[in-house]
Amino acid sequence: MKAQTIDVKQATGRILCCTIFRAGGKKLLAKGHMISEEDARMLETEGMNQVWVTELEDGEVGEDDAVMQVASEIGCGTFEIRIAAGGRANLFATESSCVLVDDELLKQINCTVSMAIATAPNFSHARAGSRVATVKSAPFAVAQPELEAVISIVKERGPILQARPIRAPSVAVLYTDPTSGERARQLFENIMRQRLDRLGTAPCFVLSSVEEEGAVARSLQHLLRARPTVVLIASTTAPAGPEDVIGRAMVRAGCQVERFLAPVEPGNLFLLSYKDDVPVMSAPGCFRSAKPNVVDLMLPPMLARYRVSGWEVACLGHGGLLV
């Protein structure tokens, strides 16, 4: 960038290097603003004869153009891009979505000197209209080779962020207790509805079962025939592992166990299995309270029909201490 002090009459089309204030302290024009003919006339009226401006040199891209180019490449899914002041482009979800983030690629891009990208947390829920990412440029301009390097990395590795829509999910709930499934339902149903309501959904299929392997397996098979988006098992007991009643019932119902134990507090005794592409999730104790726990971390991607792997559950440890 080439910075210089010039006559106001020659400033049209140039970029301000500093914010201009009126004598009384009111801001007239912000740093980074491109001066228009109307701006130049206004500055003359305010008694200003010279301004400090900058202009692009060969091989440079203006900050607004640079961030828009990067913002258009880093994401996919249901979002829109809006330019903001100061060399910034923001990505906003256009409908209820789960935010999926490639953390390693994000770190690699943020090691460059010309761009800074911030996103919502991986697996987080984004309501329609909420910001899911922002791209900030170095002031005024970016060197063309640096911009091309960033875009090349993203094109090669894939998008950093996906706003994966949550559309008409169907949630199945199975309440279990050693003596009476209805007891578990009475204990947990209100909290369950509060938790799902935060994500804009509600239980579609609900059963109660005594916590015995055969009974739980039959209930799961019945719920799975409805092809729900996800099955939640709200049990009053804490398992010692997938060999306990709930885990054995999952296997008996045709599920494949994906992961036991999550590095999340509350929610360590998390148990995840899949019947084909339908996740079946047990998180004992997590339905007693509406406070954030492992269920809140796992529901957004599952409601968006994203298959969460055991490895991804294991990666929840960084930030997994929720209380």
Side-chain angles (χ1 to χ4, degrees), residues 249-281:
M250 286 180 176
V251 173
R252 187 165 173 175
C255 301
Q256 180 72 40
V257 174
E258 177 75 21
R259 171 80 187 190
F260 175 62
L261 292 180
V264 178
E265 179 67 35
N268 303 137
L269 299 180
F270 173 78
L271 177 60
L272 172 64
S273 68
Y274 284 95
K275 177 65 170 74
D276 300 325
D277 58 349
V278 179
V280 180
M281 173 172 52

Side-chain angles (χ1 to χ4, degrees), residues 25 38-39 67 84 104 109 126 128 134 153 214 232 237 240 272 288-289:
E38 183 180 348
D39 295 330
V67 294
E104 291 304 314
I109 297 299
T134 185
I153 293 171
L232 303 178
T237 63
L272 172 64
R288 298 178 185 273
S289 170

Side-chain angles (χ1 to χ4, degrees), residues 23-206:
K26 180 181 177 182
K27 183 167 72 173
L28 295 178
L29 296 174
K31 180 177 69 173
H33 177 77
M34 181 174 287
I35 300 173
S36 65
E37 291 183 3
E38 183 180 348
D39 295 330
R41 288 194 294 270
M42 180 268 293
L43 292 173
E44 286 188 278
T45 301
E46 292 290 334
M48 298 180 186
N49 299 318
Q50 293 184 318
V51 288
W52 187 28
V53 298
T54 188
E55 61 182 336
L56 296 177
E57 297 184 284
D58 291 342
E60 292 182 326
V61 180
E63 57 182 8
D64 288 349
D65 188 17
V67 294
M68 284 299 290
Q69 287 189 47
V70 172
S72 66
E73 296 289 346
I74 66 167
C76 64
T78 54
F79 69 88
E80 63 181 8
I81 304 169
R82 303 178 199 167
I83 195 71
R88 187 187 307 276
N90 293 319
L91 282 64
F92 291 88
T94 55
E95 59 183 285
S96 179
S97 306
C98 173
V99 179
L100 303 176
V101 181
D102 185 334
D103 182 58
E104 291 304 314
L105 180 55
L106 178 62
K107 290 174 183 176
Q108 183 177 349
I109 297 299
N110 278 332
C111 285
T112 66
V113 297
S114 58
M115 290 284 168
I117 301 172
T119 72
N122 188 38
F123 289 167
S124 60
H125 175 242
R127 296 180 182 275
S130 60
R131 185 167 59 162
V132 296
T134 185
V135 183
K136 179 70 174 73
S137 164
F140 306 131
V142 174
Q144 182 75 40
E146 291 185 5
L147 177 60
E148 291 175 351
V150 170
I151 293 175
S152 176
I153 293 171
V154 177
K155 284 183 178 293
E156 180 182 346
R157 296 271 303 276
I160 292 173
L161 174 142
Q162 178 182 169
R164 190 179 179 98
I166 297 175
R167 294 172 178 163
S170 57
V171 179
V173 181
L174 175 60
Y175 296 100
T176 70
D177 177 80
T179 58
S180 169
E182 281 303 310
R183 175 176 177 272
R185 183 170 182 167
Q186 291 171 7
L187 286 172
F188 302 149
E189 189 168 44
N190 184 49
I191 299 299
M192 180 72 75
R193 289 186 178 278
Q194 290 181 44
R195 175 162 278 110
L196 294 176
D197 183 64
R198 292 201 293 262
L199 298 171
T201 189
C204 296
F205 314 103
V206 179

